[in-house]
Amino acid sequence: MRGKYWHVSLTVVFLILGLLLSLQFRTQRLLASSLEAQKTEDLVAMWKDLSSKRSQLQEEIAKLQQQLFTLKASSGQDNEAETALEKELARLQVSTGLTPVKGPGVTVTITGDAPLLYEDLVDIVNELWVSGAEAIAINDHRISAFTAIADKEEGSRVYITVDGEKLLYPIVIKAIGDPHTLEKGLTFTGGLIENLNNMFNIYPDIKKEQDLQLPGTSLPRWQYAKPLPPDKQAPKQSQAE
């Protein structure tokens, strides 16, 4: 029985021996490839190579950080310039009447029984400008540098017009600015409103307001005026001259 299975035992022994030899070979290869098994000059070369690559990476990082800083600075300048342009554009739109505005001010209401002429209306508007009005509208017609206030005859009647459109009574003038200053600019002794009262029996109703809303207008189309190129423009004279 024993002699019958001796070759089986021998096969198992050889298998175990083969496994042990294979394991020893792999262990030696791992040890050979580990840092402990490397020669000193090889380790020095590897360290120098890693140090060189690290320095290159640090230089690349520094360059990228500088580029990022430059981009951020440039972006900040662009944002500041854009913000300044937007503020200037908003200011110009308000001053030219292109954009709706709101704020405190006064209303001046004139009823239909007043013998008002367009010259009187022009005087009231100019007095409001002089008194510090920042925006003015007449019956929701925004007043700008291009607004025309005139009269128009229709048979036996004469109408006051703003940019060619008839004004219907009551005529309501809205002016945004300091309410107290605007009111005093119209009602001071010997001023415009007193003259209208005494000389023409025109009695405008003036009220201070805290929340006025004025519409915007549109610029006229330029047909004849053309901007001069910069090289053709006359140089500005200094105040010293």
mmCIF file with all atom_site columns, all heavy atoms in Angstrom, residues 104-108 127-136 174-187 206 212:
data_model
loop_
_atom_site.group_PDB
_atom_site.id
_atom_site.type_symbol
_atom_site.label_atom_id
_atom_site.label_alt_id
_atom_site.label_comp_id
_atom_site.label_asym_id
_atom_site.label_entity_id
_atom_site.label_seq_id
_atom_site.pdbx_PDB_ins_code
_atom_site.Cartn_x
_atom_site.Cartn_y
_atom_site.Cartn_z
_atom_site.occupancy
_atom_site.B_iso_or_equiv
_atom_site.pdbx_formal_charge
_atom_site.auth_seq_id
_atom_site.auth_comp_id
_atom_site.auth_asym_id
_atom_site.auth_atom_id
_atom_site.pdbx_PDB_model_num
ATOM 1   N N   . PRO A 1 104 ? -37.283 112.976 -5.115  1.00 0.00 ? 104 PRO A N   1
ATOM 2   C CA  . PRO A 1 104 ? -38.096 114.062 -4.549  1.00 0.00 ? 104 PRO A CA  1
ATOM 3   C C   . PRO A 1 104 ? -38.041 115.304 -5.425  1.00 0.00 ? 104 PRO A C   1
ATOM 4   O O   . PRO A 1 104 ? -37.172 115.431 -6.292  1.00 0.00 ? 104 PRO A O   1
ATOM 5   C CB  . PRO A 1 104 ? -37.426 114.308 -3.197  1.00 0.00 ? 104 PRO A CB  1
ATOM 6   C CG  . PRO A 1 104 ? -35.993 113.937 -3.436  1.00 0.00 ? 104 PRO A CG  1
ATOM 7   C CD  . PRO A 1 104 ? -36.024 112.771 -4.403  1.00 0.00 ? 104 PRO A CD  1
ATOM 8   N N   . GLY A 1 105 ? -38.965 116.211 -5.193  1.00 0.00 ? 105 GLY A N   1
ATOM 9   C CA  . GLY A 1 105 ? -38.968 117.447 -5.961  1.00 0.00 ? 105 GLY A CA  1
ATOM 10  C C   . GLY A 1 105 ? -40.240 118.233 -5.731  1.00 0.00 ? 105 GLY A C   1
ATOM 11  O O   . GLY A 1 105 ? -40.803 118.230 -4.629  1.00 0.00 ? 105 GLY A O   1
ATOM 12  N N   . VAL A 1 106 ? -40.729 118.893 -6.783  1.00 0.00 ? 106 VAL A N   1
ATOM 13  C CA  . VAL A 1 106 ? -41.958 119.687 -6.693  1.00 0.00 ? 106 VAL A CA  1
ATOM 14  C C   . VAL A 1 106 ? -42.805 119.443 -7.936  1.00 0.00 ? 106 VAL A C   1
ATOM 15  O O   . VAL A 1 106 ? -42.298 119.042 -8.983  1.00 0.00 ? 106 VAL A O   1
ATOM 16  C CB  . VAL A 1 106 ? -41.665 121.199 -6.575  1.00 0.00 ? 106 VAL A CB  1
ATOM 17  C CG1 . VAL A 1 106 ? -40.901 121.513 -5.294  1.00 0.00 ? 106 VAL A CG1 1
ATOM 18  C CG2 . VAL A 1 106 ? -40.917 121.710 -7.792  1.00 0.00 ? 106 VAL A CG2 1
ATOM 19  N N   . THR A 1 107 ? -44.111 119.695 -7.776  1.00 0.00 ? 107 THR A N   1
ATOM 20  C CA  . THR A 1 107 ? -45.013 119.733 -8.918  1.00 0.00 ? 107 THR A CA  1
ATOM 21  C C   . THR A 1 107 ? -45.602 121.136 -9.006  1.00 0.00 ? 107 THR A C   1
ATOM 22  O O   . THR A 1 107 ? -45.920 121.757 -7.984  1.00 0.00 ? 107 THR A O   1
ATOM 23  C CB  . THR A 1 107 ? -46.153 118.710 -8.781  1.00 0.00 ? 107 THR A CB  1
ATOM 24  O OG1 . THR A 1 107 ? -46.865 118.950 -7.567  1.00 0.00 ? 107 THR A OG1 1
ATOM 25  C CG2 . THR A 1 107 ? -45.600 117.303 -8.784  1.00 0.00 ? 107 THR A CG2 1
ATOM 26  N N   . VAL A 1 108 ? -45.709 121.628 -10.229 1.00 0.00 ? 108 VAL A N   1
ATOM 27  C CA  . VAL A 1 108 ? -46.306 122.934 -10.481 1.00 0.00 ? 108 VAL A CA  1
ATOM 28  C C   . VAL A 1 108 ? -47.503 122.693 -11.402 1.00 0.00 ? 108 VAL A C   1
ATOM 29  O O   . VAL A 1 108 ? -47.326 122.287 -12.551 1.00 0.00 ? 108 VAL A O   1
ATOM 30  C CB  . VAL A 1 108 ? -45.298 123.901 -11.135 1.00 0.00 ? 108 VAL A CB  1
ATOM 31  C CG1 . VAL A 1 108 ? -45.947 125.269 -11.365 1.00 0.00 ? 108 VAL A CG1 1
ATOM 32  C CG2 . VAL A 1 108 ? -44.044 124.033 -10.285 1.00 0.00 ? 108 VAL A CG2 1
ATOM 33  N N   . GLU A 1 127 ? -36.540 128.674 -14.605 1.00 0.00 ? 127 GLU A N   1
ATOM 34  C CA  . GLU A 1 127 ? -36.375 128.996 -13.181 1.00 0.00 ? 127 GLU A CA  1
ATOM 35  C C   . GLU A 1 127 ? -36.114 127.728 -12.373 1.00 0.00 ? 127 GLU A C   1
ATOM 36  O O   . GLU A 1 127 ? -35.320 127.731 -11.429 1.00 0.00 ? 127 GLU A O   1
ATOM 37  C CB  . GLU A 1 127 ? -37.620 129.712 -12.661 1.00 0.00 ? 127 GLU A CB  1
ATOM 38  C CG  . GLU A 1 127 ? -37.437 130.347 -11.288 1.00 0.00 ? 127 GLU A CG  1
ATOM 39  C CD  . GLU A 1 127 ? -36.410 131.464 -11.298 1.00 0.00 ? 127 GLU A CD  1
ATOM 40  O OE1 . GLU A 1 127 ? -36.469 132.330 -12.187 1.00 0.00 ? 127 GLU A OE1 1
ATOM 41  O OE2 . GLU A 1 127 ? -35.537 131.463 -10.400 1.00 0.00 ? 127 GLU A OE2 1
ATOM 42  N N   . LEU A 1 128 ? -36.765 126.635 -12.747 1.00 0.00 ? 128 LEU A N   1
ATOM 43  C CA  . LEU A 1 128 ? -36.514 125.364 -12.061 1.00 0.00 ? 128 LEU A CA  1
ATOM 44  C C   . LEU A 1 128 ? -35.100 124.864 -12.320 1.00 0.00 ? 128 LEU A C   1
ATOM 45  O O   . LEU A 1 128 ? -34.425 124.367 -11.410 1.00 0.00 ? 128 LEU A O   1
ATOM 46  C CB  . LEU A 1 128 ? -37.538 124.315 -12.513 1.00 0.00 ? 128 LEU A CB  1
ATOM 47  C CG  . LEU A 1 128 ? -38.963 124.521 -11.995 1.00 0.00 ? 128 LEU A CG  1
ATOM 48  C CD1 . LEU A 1 128 ? -39.937 123.602 -12.726 1.00 0.00 ? 128 LEU A CD1 1
ATOM 49  C CD2 . LEU A 1 128 ? -39.022 124.267 -10.485 1.00 0.00 ? 128 LEU A CD2 1
ATOM 50  N N   . TRP A 1 129 ? -34.617 124.997 -13.575 1.00 0.00 ? 129 TRP A N   1
ATOM 51  C CA  . TRP A 1 129 ? -33.230 124.611 -13.863 1.00 0.00 ? 129 TRP A CA  1
ATOM 52  C C   . TRP A 1 129 ? -32.263 125.430 -13.019 1.00 0.00 ? 129 TRP A C   1
ATOM 53  O O   . TRP A 1 129 ? -31.325 124.881 -12.420 1.00 0.00 ? 129 TRP A O   1
ATOM 54  C CB  . TRP A 1 129 ? -32.906 124.820 -15.338 1.00 0.00 ? 129 TRP A CB  1
ATOM 55  C CG  . TRP A 1 129 ? -33.487 123.873 -16.332 1.00 0.00 ? 129 TRP A CG  1
ATOM 56  C CD1 . TRP A 1 129 ? -34.146 124.197 -17.482 1.00 0.00 ? 129 TRP A CD1 1
ATOM 57  C CD2 . TRP A 1 129 ? -33.466 122.437 -16.301 1.00 0.00 ? 129 TRP A CD2 1
ATOM 58  N NE1 . TRP A 1 129 ? -34.528 123.073 -18.164 1.00 0.00 ? 129 TRP A NE1 1
ATOM 59  C CE2 . TRP A 1 129 ? -34.116 121.975 -17.467 1.00 0.00 ? 129 TRP A CE2 1
ATOM 60  C CE3 . TRP A 1 129 ? -32.942 121.516 -15.408 1.00 0.00 ? 129 TRP A CE3 1
ATOM 61  C CZ2 . TRP A 1 129 ? -34.279 120.624 -17.760 1.00 0.00 ? 129 TRP A CZ2 1
ATOM 62  C CZ3 . TRP A 1 129 ? -33.094 120.159 -15.699 1.00 0.00 ? 129 TRP A CZ3 1
ATOM 63  C CH2 . TRP A 1 129 ? -33.750 119.728 -16.845 1.00 0.00 ? 129 TRP A CH2 1
ATOM 64  N N   . VAL A 1 130 ? -32.503 126.737 -12.970 1.00 0.00 ? 130 VAL A N   1
ATOM 65  C CA  . VAL A 1 130 ? -31.605 127.616 -12.209 1.00 0.00 ? 130 VAL A CA  1
ATOM 66  C C   . VAL A 1 130 ? -31.627 127.263 -10.725 1.00 0.00 ? 130 VAL A C   1
ATOM 67  O O   . VAL A 1 130 ? -30.610 127.379 -10.031 1.00 0.00 ? 130 VAL A O   1
ATOM 68  C CB  . VAL A 1 130 ? -32.004 129.094 -12.433 1.00 0.00 ? 130 VAL A CB  1
ATOM 69  C CG1 . VAL A 1 130 ? -31.232 130.009 -11.487 1.00 0.00 ? 130 VAL A CG1 1
ATOM 70  C CG2 . VAL A 1 130 ? -31.764 129.505 -13.877 1.00 0.00 ? 130 VAL A CG2 1
ATOM 71  N N   . SER A 1 131 ? -32.784 126.797 -10.240 1.00 0.00 ? 131 SER A N   1
ATOM 72  C CA  . SER A 1 131 ? -32.915 126.479 -8.813  1.00 0.00 ? 131 SER A CA  1
ATOM 73  C C   . SER A 1 131 ? -32.362 125.104 -8.464  1.00 0.00 ? 131 SER A C   1
ATOM 74  O O   . SER A 1 131 ? -32.455 124.684 -7.307  1.00 0.00 ? 131 SER A O   1
ATOM 75  C CB  . SER A 1 131 ? -34.393 126.555 -8.401  1.00 0.00 ? 131 SER A CB  1
ATOM 76  O OG  . SER A 1 131 ? -34.908 127.858 -8.637  1.00 0.00 ? 131 SER A OG  1
ATOM 77  N N   . GLY A 1 132 ? -31.802 124.397 -9.438  1.00 0.00 ? 132 GLY A N   1
ATOM 78  C CA  . GLY A 1 132 ? -31.145 123.125 -9.139  1.00 0.00 ? 132 GLY A CA  1
ATOM 79  C C   . GLY A 1 132 ? -31.906 121.889 -9.548  1.00 0.00 ? 132 GLY A C   1
ATOM 80  O O   . GLY A 1 132 ? -31.563 120.777 -9.096  1.00 0.00 ? 132 GLY A O   1
ATOM 81  N N   . ALA A 1 133 ? -32.921 122.018 -10.386 1.00 0.00 ? 133 ALA A N   1
ATOM 82  C CA  . ALA A 1 133 ? -33.639 120.827 -10.844 1.00 0.00 ? 133 ALA A CA  1
ATOM 83  C C   . ALA A 1 133 ? -32.702 119.927 -11.647 1.00 0.00 ? 133 ALA A C   1
ATOM 84  O O   . ALA A 1 133 ? -31.905 120.399 -12.450 1.00 0.00 ? 133 ALA A O   1
ATOM 85  C CB  . ALA A 1 133 ? -34.836 121.235 -11.698 1.00 0.00 ? 133 ALA A CB  1
ATOM 86  N N   . GLU A 1 134 ? -32.798 118.643 -11.408 1.00 0.00 ? 134 GLU A N   1
ATOM 87  C CA  . GLU A 1 134 ? -31.968 117.669 -12.119 1.00 0.00 ? 134 GLU A CA  1
ATOM 88  C C   . GLU A 1 134 ? -32.710 117.014 -13.274 1.00 0.00 ? 134 GLU A C   1
ATOM 89  O O   . GLU A 1 134 ? -32.069 116.466 -14.188 1.00 0.00 ? 134 GLU A O   1
ATOM 90  C CB  . GLU A 1 134 ? -31.480 116.601 -11.136 1.00 0.00 ? 134 GLU A CB  1
ATOM 91  C CG  . GLU A 1 134 ? -30.588 117.169 -10.029 1.00 0.00 ? 134 GLU A CG  1
ATOM 92  C CD  . GLU A 1 134 ? -30.152 116.115 -9.036  1.00 0.00 ? 134 GLU A CD  1
ATOM 93  O OE1 . GLU A 1 134 ? -30.648 114.967 -9.132  1.00 0.00 ? 134 GLU A OE1 1
ATOM 94  O OE2 . GLU A 1 134 ? -29.329 116.428 -8.162  1.00 0.00 ? 134 GLU A OE2 1
ATOM 95  N N   . ALA A 1 135 ? -34.026 117.047 -13.241 1.00 0.00 ? 135 ALA A N   1
ATOM 96  C CA  . ALA A 1 135 ? -34.843 116.480 -14.320 1.00 0.00 ? 135 ALA A CA  1
ATOM 97  C C   . ALA A 1 135 ? -36.210 117.140 -14.264 1.00 0.00 ? 135 ALA A C   1
ATOM 98  O O   . ALA A 1 135 ? -36.739 117.406 -13.184 1.00 0.00 ? 135 ALA A O   1
ATOM 99  C CB  . ALA A 1 135 ? -34.966 114.968 -14.179 1.00 0.00 ? 135 ALA A CB  1
ATOM 100 N N   . ILE A 1 136 ? -36.782 117.409 -15.443 1.00 0.00 ? 136 ILE A N   1
ATOM 101 C CA  . ILE A 1 136 ? -38.069 118.094 -15.529 1.00 0.00 ? 136 ILE A CA  1
ATOM 102 C C   . ILE A 1 136 ? -38.923 117.412 -16.595 1.00 0.00 ? 136 ILE A C   1
ATOM 103 O O   . ILE A 1 136 ? -38.408 116.966 -17.634 1.00 0.00 ? 136 ILE A O   1
ATOM 104 C CB  . ILE A 1 136 ? -37.899 119.590 -15.884 1.00 0.00 ? 136 ILE A CB  1
ATOM 105 C CG1 . ILE A 1 136 ? -37.078 120.309 -14.803 1.00 0.00 ? 136 ILE A CG1 1
ATOM 106 C CG2 . ILE A 1 136 ? -39.243 120.278 -16.052 1.00 0.00 ? 136 ILE A CG2 1
ATOM 107 C CD1 . ILE A 1 136 ? -36.775 121.760 -15.129 1.00 0.00 ? 136 ILE A CD1 1
ATOM 108 N N   . LYS A 1 174 ? -43.327 118.622 -13.463 1.00 0.00 ? 174 LYS A N   1
ATOM 109 C CA  . LYS A 1 174 ? -42.657 117.868 -12.410 1.00 0.00 ? 174 LYS A CA  1
ATOM 110 C C   . LYS A 1 174 ? -41.161 118.128 -12.490 1.00 0.00 ? 174 LYS A C   1
ATOM 111 O O   . LYS A 1 174 ? -40.586 118.034 -13.575 1.00 0.00 ? 174 LYS A O   1
ATOM 112 C CB  . LYS A 1 174 ? -42.932 116.367 -12.541 1.00 0.00 ? 174 LYS A CB  1
ATOM 113 C CG  . LYS A 1 174 ? -44.389 115.993 -12.438 1.00 0.00 ? 174 LYS A CG  1
ATOM 114 C CD  . LYS A 1 174 ? -44.576 114.494 -12.641 1.00 0.00 ? 174 LYS A CD  1
ATOM 115 C CE  . LYS A 1 174 ? -46.036 114.095 -12.580 1.00 0.00 ? 174 LYS A CE  1
ATOM 116 N NZ  . LYS A 1 174 ? -46.211 112.633 -12.799 1.00 0.00 ? 174 LYS A NZ  1
ATOM 117 N N   . ALA A 1 175 ? -40.578 118.442 -11.354 1.00 0.00 ? 175 ALA A N   1
ATOM 118 C CA  . ALA A 1 175 ? -39.137 118.719 -11.304 1.00 0.00 ? 175 ALA A CA  1
ATOM 119 C C   . ALA A 1 175 ? -38.530 117.949 -10.138 1.00 0.00 ? 175 ALA A C   1
ATOM 120 O O   . ALA A 1 175 ? -39.010 118.043 -9.000  1.00 0.00 ? 175 ALA A O   1
ATOM 121 C CB  . ALA A 1 175 ? -38.875 120.209 -11.150 1.00 0.00 ? 175 ALA A CB  1
ATOM 122 N N   . ILE A 1 176 ? -37.475 117.185 -10.420 1.00 0.00 ? 176 ILE A N   1
ATOM 123 C CA  . ILE A 1 176 ? -36.771 116.430 -9.386  1.00 0.00 ? 176 ILE A CA  1
ATOM 124 C C   . ILE A 1 176 ? -35.573 117.237 -8.910  1.00 0.00 ? 176 ILE A C   1
ATOM 125 O O   . ILE A 1 176 ? -34.790 117.759 -9.714  1.00 0.00 ? 176 ILE A O   1
ATOM 126 C CB  . ILE A 1 176 ? -36.329 115.059 -9.918  1.00 0.00 ? 176 ILE A CB  1
ATOM 127 C CG1 . ILE A 1 176 ? -37.548 114.165 -10.132 1.00 0.00 ? 176 ILE A CG1 1
ATOM 128 C CG2 . ILE A 1 176 ? -35.332 114.387 -8.963  1.00 0.00 ? 176 ILE A CG2 1
ATOM 129 C CD1 . ILE A 1 176 ? -37.222 112.787 -10.665 1.00 0.00 ? 176 ILE A CD1 1
ATOM 130 N N   . GLY A 1 177 ? -35.441 117.335 -7.619  1.00 0.00 ? 177 GLY A N   1
ATOM 131 C CA  . GLY A 1 177 ? -34.353 118.075 -6.984  1.00 0.00 ? 177 GLY A CA  1
ATOM 132 C C   . GLY A 1 177 ? -34.701 118.266 -5.519  1.00 0.00 ? 177 GLY A C   1
ATOM 133 O O   . GLY A 1 177 ? -35.617 117.617 -4.986  1.00 0.00 ? 177 GLY A O   1
ATOM 134 N N   . ASP A 1 178 ? -33.992 119.162 -4.850  1.00 0.00 ? 178 ASP A N   1
ATOM 135 C CA  . ASP A 1 178 ? -34.313 119.448 -3.455  1.00 0.00 ? 178 ASP A CA  1
ATOM 136 C C   . ASP A 1 178 ? -35.643 120.204 -3.395  1.00 0.00 ? 178 ASP A C   1
ATOM 137 O O   . ASP A 1 178 ? -35.749 121.321 -3.915  1.00 0.00 ? 178 ASP A O   1
ATOM 138 C CB  . ASP A 1 178 ? -33.205 120.287 -2.821  1.00 0.00 ? 178 ASP A CB  1
ATOM 139 C CG  . ASP A 1 178 ? -33.516 120.615 -1.380  1.00 0.00 ? 178 ASP A CG  1
ATOM 140 O OD1 . ASP A 1 178 ? -33.404 119.727 -0.531  1.00 0.00 ? 178 ASP A OD1 1
ATOM 141 O OD2 . ASP A 1 178 ? -33.899 121.773 -1.103  1.00 0.00 ? 178 ASP A OD2 1
ATOM 142 N N   . PRO A 1 179 ? -36.678 119.617 -2.770  1.00 0.00 ? 179 PRO A N   1
ATOM 143 C CA  . PRO A 1 179 ? -38.002 120.253 -2.792  1.00 0.00 ? 179 PRO A CA  1
ATOM 144 C C   . PRO A 1 179 ? -38.006 121.669 -2.227  1.00 0.00 ? 179 PRO A C   1
ATOM 145 O O   . PRO A 1 179 ? -38.640 122.572 -2.795  1.00 0.00 ? 179 PRO A O   1
ATOM 146 C CB  . PRO A 1 179 ? -38.855 119.306 -1.946  1.00 0.00 ? 179 PRO A CB  1
ATOM 147 C CG  . PRO A 1 179 ? -38.171 117.984 -2.030  1.00 0.00 ? 179 PRO A CG  1
ATOM 148 C CD  . PRO A 1 179 ? -36.705 118.308 -2.095  1.00 0.00 ? 179 PRO A CD  1
ATOM 149 N N   . HIS A 1 180 ? -37.323 121.870 -1.116  1.00 0.00 ? 180 HIS A N   1
ATOM 150 C CA  . HIS A 1 180 ? -37.317 123.193 -0.479  1.00 0.00 ? 180 HIS A CA  1
ATOM 151 C C   . HIS A 1 180 ? -36.649 124.224 -1.378  1.00 0.00 ? 180 HIS A C   1
ATOM 152 O O   . HIS A 1 180 ? -37.172 125.337 -1.571  1.00 0.00 ? 180 HIS A O   1
ATOM 153 C CB  . HIS A 1 180 ? -36.601 123.113 0.866   1.00 0.00 ? 180 HIS A CB  1
ATOM 154 C CG  . HIS A 1 180 ? -36.513 124.419 1.574   1.00 0.00 ? 180 HIS A CG  1
ATOM 155 N ND1 . HIS A 1 180 ? -37.590 125.021 2.209   1.00 0.00 ? 180 HIS A ND1 1
ATOM 156 C CD2 . HIS A 1 180 ? -35.465 125.283 1.743   1.00 0.00 ? 180 HIS A CD2 1
ATOM 157 C CE1 . HIS A 1 180 ? -37.215 126.179 2.727   1.00 0.00 ? 180 HIS A CE1 1
ATOM 158 N NE2 . HIS A 1 180 ? -35.940 126.354 2.469   1.00 0.00 ? 180 HIS A NE2 1
ATOM 159 N N   . THR A 1 181 ? -35.515 123.867 -1.954  1.00 0.00 ? 181 THR A N   1
ATOM 160 C CA  . THR A 1 181 ? -34.786 124.813 -2.815  1.00 0.00 ? 181 THR A CA  1
ATOM 161 C C   . THR A 1 181 ? -35.584 125.140 -4.070  1.00 0.00 ? 181 THR A C   1
ATOM 162 O O   . THR A 1 181 ? -35.641 126.302 -4.500  1.00 0.00 ? 181 THR A O   1
ATOM 163 C CB  . THR A 1 181 ? -33.418 124.224 -3.196  1.00 0.00 ? 181 THR A CB  1
ATOM 164 O OG1 . THR A 1 181 ? -32.689 123.911 -2.011  1.00 0.00 ? 181 THR A OG1 1
ATOM 165 C CG2 . THR A 1 181 ? -32.620 125.208 -4.031  1.00 0.00 ? 181 THR A CG2 1
ATOM 166 N N   . LEU A 1 182 ? -36.201 124.128 -4.663  1.00 0.00 ? 182 LEU A N   1
ATOM 167 C CA  . LEU A 1 182 ? -36.982 124.363 -5.875  1.00 0.00 ? 182 LEU A CA  1
ATOM 168 C C   . LEU A 1 182 ? -38.183 125.265 -5.590  1.00 0.00 ? 182 LEU A C   1
ATOM 169 O O   . LEU A 1 182 ? -38.504 126.174 -6.377  1.00 0.00 ? 182 LEU A O   1
ATOM 170 C CB  . LEU A 1 182 ? -37.447 123.033 -6.466  1.00 0.00 ? 182 LEU A CB  1
ATOM 171 C CG  . LEU A 1 182 ? -36.358 122.105 -7.006  1.00 0.00 ? 182 LEU A CG  1
ATOM 172 C CD1 . LEU A 1 182 ? -36.969 120.801 -7.500  1.00 0.00 ? 182 LEU A CD1 1
ATOM 173 C CD2 . LEU A 1 182 ? -35.572 122.768 -8.132  1.00 0.00 ? 182 LEU A CD2 1
ATOM 174 N N   . GLU A 1 183 ? -38.838 125.008 -4.462  1.00 0.00 ? 183 GLU A N   1
ATOM 175 C CA  . GLU A 1 183 ? -40.000 125.840 -4.109  1.00 0.00 ? 183 GLU A CA  1
ATOM 176 C C   . GLU A 1 183 ? -39.579 127.285 -3.874  1.00 0.00 ? 183 GLU A C   1
ATOM 177 O O   . GLU A 1 183 ? -40.214 128.225 -4.385  1.00 0.00 ? 183 GLU A O   1
ATOM 178 C CB  . GLU A 1 183 ? -40.685 125.279 -2.870  1.00 0.00 ? 183 GLU A CB  1
ATOM 179 C CG  . GLU A 1 183 ? -41.927 126.077 -2.473  1.00 0.00 ? 183 GLU A CG  1
ATOM 180 C CD  . GLU A 1 183 ? -42.417 125.724 -1.085  1.00 0.00 ? 183 GLU A CD  1
ATOM 181 O OE1 . GLU A 1 183 ? -41.566 125.527 -0.194  1.00 0.00 ? 183 GLU A OE1 1
ATOM 182 O OE2 . GLU A 1 183 ? -43.640 125.674 -0.900  1.00 0.00 ? 183 GLU A OE2 1
ATOM 183 N N   . LYS A 1 184 ? -38.506 127.489 -3.125  1.00 0.00 ? 184 LYS A N   1
ATOM 184 C CA  . LYS A 1 184 ? -38.046 128.846 -2.843  1.00 0.00 ? 184 LYS A CA  1
ATOM 185 C C   . LYS A 1 184 ? -37.578 129.544 -4.117  1.00 0.00 ? 184 LYS A C   1
ATOM 186 O O   . LYS A 1 184 ? -37.727 130.765 -4.252  1.00 0.00 ? 184 LYS A O   1
ATOM 187 C CB  . LYS A 1 184 ? -36.909 128.802 -1.823  1.00 0.00 ? 184 LYS A CB  1
ATOM 188 C CG  . LYS A 1 184 ? -37.358 128.420 -0.421  1.00 0.00 ? 184 LYS A CG  1
ATOM 189 C CD  . LYS A 1 184 ? -38.398 129.396 0.113   1.00 0.00 ? 184 LYS A CD  1
ATOM 190 C CE  . LYS A 1 184 ? -38.857 129.012 1.510   1.00 0.00 ? 184 LYS A CE  1
ATOM 191 N NZ  . LYS A 1 184 ? -39.922 129.931 2.005   1.00 0.00 ? 184 LYS A NZ  1
ATOM 192 N N   . GLY A 1 185 ? -37.005 128.795 -5.056  1.00 0.00 ? 185 GLY A N   1
ATOM 193 C CA  . GLY A 1 185 ? -36.572 129.394 -6.307  1.00 0.00 ? 185 GLY A CA  1
ATOM 194 C C   . GLY A 1 185 ? -37.719 129.965 -7.119  1.00 0.00 ? 185 GLY A C   1
ATOM 195 O O   . GLY A 1 185 ? -37.532 130.891 -7.911  1.00 0.00 ? 185 GLY A O   1
ATOM 196 N N   . LEU A 1 186 ? -38.933 129.413 -6.920  1.00 0.00 ? 186 LEU A N   1
ATOM 197 C CA  . LEU A 1 186 ? -40.100 129.905 -7.646  1.00 0.00 ? 186 LEU A CA  1
ATOM 198 C C   . LEU A 1 186 ? -40.871 130.975 -6.872  1.00 0.00 ? 186 LEU A C   1
ATOM 199 O O   . LEU A 1 186 ? -41.464 131.874 -7.487  1.00 0.00 ? 186 LEU A O   1
ATOM 200 C CB  . LEU A 1 186 ? -41.055 128.743 -7.962  1.00 0.00 ? 186 LEU A CB  1
ATOM 201 C CG  . LEU A 1 186 ? -40.561 127.670 -8.929  1.00 0.00 ? 186 LEU A CG  1
ATOM 202 C CD1 . LEU A 1 186 ? -41.573 126.536 -9.012  1.00 0.00 ? 186 LEU A CD1 1
ATOM 203 C CD2 . LEU A 1 186 ? -40.315 128.257 -10.319 1.00 0.00 ? 186 LEU A CD2 1
ATOM 204 N N   . THR A 1 187 ? -40.874 130.898 -5.558  1.00 0.00 ? 187 THR A N   1
ATOM 205 C CA  . THR A 1 187 ? -41.801 131.709 -4.764  1.00 0.00 ? 187 THR A CA  1
ATOM 206 C C   . THR A 1 187 ? -41.143 132.843 -3.991  1.00 0.00 ? 187 THR A C   1
ATOM 207 O O   . THR A 1 187 ? -41.834 133.516 -3.214  1.00 0.00 ? 187 THR A O   1
ATOM 208 C CB  . THR A 1 187 ? -42.540 130.801 -3.765  1.00 0.00 ? 187 THR A CB  1
ATOM 209 O OG1 . THR A 1 187 ? -41.590 130.184 -2.886  1.00 0.00 ? 187 THR A OG1 1
ATOM 210 C CG2 . THR A 1 187 ? -43.328 129.727 -4.485  1.00 0.00 ? 187 THR A CG2 1
ATOM 211 N N   . ILE A 1 206 ? -48.107 124.975 -6.307  1.00 0.00 ? 206 ILE A N   1
ATOM 212 C CA  . ILE A 1 206 ? -46.785 124.366 -6.115  1.00 0.00 ? 206 ILE A CA  1
ATOM 213 C C   . ILE A 1 206 ? -46.835 123.444 -4.904  1.00 0.00 ? 206 ILE A C   1
ATOM 214 O O   . ILE A 1 206 ? -47.248 123.866 -3.809  1.00 0.00 ? 206 ILE A O   1
ATOM 215 C CB  . ILE A 1 206 ? -45.701 125.437 -5.928  1.00 0.00 ? 206 ILE A CB  1
ATOM 216 C CG1 . ILE A 1 206 ? -45.699 126.386 -7.136  1.00 0.00 ? 206 ILE A CG1 1
ATOM 217 C CG2 . ILE A 1 206 ? -44.321 124.790 -5.747  1.00 0.00 ? 206 ILE A CG2 1
ATOM 218 C CD1 . ILE A 1 206 ? -44.793 127.577 -6.964  1.00 0.00 ? 206 ILE A CD1 1
ATOM 219 N N   . LEU A 1 212 ? -41.375 111.434 -6.998  1.00 0.00 ? 212 LEU A N   1
ATOM 220 C CA  . LEU A 1 212 ? -41.800 111.741 -8.356  1.00 0.00 ? 212 LEU A CA  1
ATOM 221 C C   . LEU A 1 212 ? -41.165 110.749 -9.327  1.00 0.00 ? 212 LEU A C   1
ATOM 222 O O   . LEU A 1 212 ? -40.043 110.310 -9.121  1.00 0.00 ? 212 LEU A O   1
ATOM 223 C CB  . LEU A 1 212 ? -41.400 113.166 -8.753  1.00 0.00 ? 212 LEU A CB  1
ATOM 224 C CG  . LEU A 1 212 ? -42.111 114.312 -8.034  1.00 0.00 ? 212 LEU A CG  1
ATOM 225 C CD1 . LEU A 1 212 ? -41.496 115.647 -8.450  1.00 0.00 ? 212 LEU A CD1 1
ATOM 226 C CD2 . LEU A 1 212 ? -43.600 114.305 -8.348  1.00 0.00 ? 212 LEU A CD2 1
#
